[in-house]
Amino acid sequence: MEMATRRERLRAQTREEAKAAALRQIAAAGPQSLSLNAIGKELGMSGPALYRYFAGRDELLTELISDGYHDLADAVEAAGEAAAGAAPADRIRALTRAYREWALAQPHRYLLLFGTPVPGYEAPAHTTRAATRTLSAFLGPIAALGPDSRAAALEGQFEAGLADRDPDHPWSGPVLRLGVTGWTRMHGVVSLEVEGHFTQMGFDPGLLFEAEVESLIAEAAGSEAG
Amino acid sequence: MEMATRRERLRAQTREEAKAAALRQIAAAGPQSLSLNAIGKELGMSGPALYRYFAGRDELLTELISDGYHDLADAVEAAGEAAAGAAPADRIRALTRAYREWALAQPHRYLLLFGTPVPGYEAPAHTTRAATRTLSAFLGPIAALGPDSRAAALEGQFEAGLADRDPDHPWSGPVLRLGVTGWTRMHGVVSLEVEGHFTQMGFDPGLLFEAEVESLIAEAAGSEAG
DNA sequence: AACCTGAGTTAGAGCTTCTAACTAACACAA
DNA sequence: TTGTGTTAGTTAGAAGCTCTAACTCAGGTT
């Protein structure tokens, strides 16, 4: 176990403080408001000092996005583990709830991941792996519900597409279809919610989200719950 | 019929040219890249000249968003009118196809409407009306399929929420629920698609979108198509 | 103590939004 | 045609941004 020098510890701490300040700015006024000069002012140093810690504004943003993907994956996986002994439907409910709660707790971070792409950002491989982790957490309980094939061409594409990257993957086409479908449905509700599109409509988005989860569960179980 | 003066015509033309240049910038590098100076340079005038035409950058963006809402509503309504004589399911297919095609033809505009909110933008009432027009186009054919009640609390909220704004509205709770659900599902697929989240996954997003449309139709018709 | 490395600053280039003051062009009335 | 008012367009500049280069200082190691 390598002990960090004092200098290394201080450097890491400064980096984390800068990232936290950056997220506060983004939470207040969106990604375009991110300003290295303003972060420097908040930390009690000059803006250009931050170029000692990050190659530039793009690298800072890239790290924030990467952190977000990992954090979301961790939260969803933790919910899956906490519900490991439950029935598949309850596990899906727990997983979907964790997804939405993570987004509602930090909408600005959710929109960094899944909102309008920020120019200059490149997704490194480990970010893609974290995104895959989030989605994969749903596949086990969906498979346990035993979904039927509903769209053979599409399901074939999912199987082949994933096989290109992971030839030993255990998931059937219908499971993959419902995994991705579940993601698009969660995202559809959550993104419109955090963006404020529902505020004038007079309904509780949580109820709509739950209705969508129940619809997905019913579809995966092969029938429509009456 | 009031004839526009030459000055008025030229003014309107300059405004349209500025808006077109703005959209080209946004298409190339996202909303934050929008620069009045760069638009001025492209039109052959100084940046500050544009303050004669728009109160500021925010007003220009606000107009672009407003234009987008109206354009989308027009496109969806036109598809609904073109399919007016068809069966309800076919009308829904035409409407949803128009929604997705509009987004894919101009993803930068779609993300202006439904991506990460741009700071400084305020939705004027006529924008909200255009958004309502888009959603309303779906309600007729959904109602014609005769959907059952599935989530009474949620449906009651939809009815009451819309009644606050339009007491004479003819739509039942289940119709409103499926209208909004259809929107969230379309948006879930289209937004992840235009943002590039599906590109490494090896499937055709058009097939996924169609599968979601068929699922919505089956749900509205009160059975799962086998 | 001397040397090296990393942290931090300042100055400045080149960009932005926006305002104020000015000039020029256009439209209209007498 | 001339005079007046309005609008279009420019320039200068304030205040902000990202980023780089050159410099100084502080901390760590030998």
Side-chain angles (χ1 to χ4, degrees), chain A residues 148-172:
Chain A
D148 299 328
S149 175
R150 285 281 178 78
L154 178 61
E155 285 157 5
Q157 288 176 1
F158 280 128
E159 281 198 30
L162 184 54
D164 283 347
R165 282 168 285 134
D166 181 7
D168 297 324
H169 81 79
W171 310 118
S172 69

Side-chain angles (χ1 to χ4, degrees), chain B residues 7 11 44-46 48-49 52-53:
Chain B
R7 177 170 272 179
R11 180 179 175 82
M45 63 172 75
S46 73
R52 293 282 175 190
Y53 297 89

Side-chain angles (χ1 to χ4, degrees), chain A residues 48-121:
Chain A
L50 289 164
Y51 290 90
R52 294 281 180 192
Y53 298 88
F54 303 97
R57 189 176 176 281
D58 279 350
E59 185 186 293
L60 174 57
L61 267 173
T62 295
E63 268 204 44
L64 294 176
I65 292 170
S66 177
D67 291 347
Y69 274 114
H70 285 281
D71 204 24
L72 174 61
D74 292 345
V76 169
E77 280 178 344
E81 280 152 23
D90 286 332
R91 282 158 64 200
I92 292 169
R93 291 182 187 107
L95 290 164
T96 54
R97 194 179 306 123
Y99 185 95
R100 179 165 175 266
E101 284 175 359
W102 191 89
L104 293 194
Q106 45 232 326
H108 57 294
R109 289 181 87 197
Y110 186 78
L111 291 175
L112 266 184
L113 304 193
F114 301 118
T116 306
V118 180
Y121 167 71

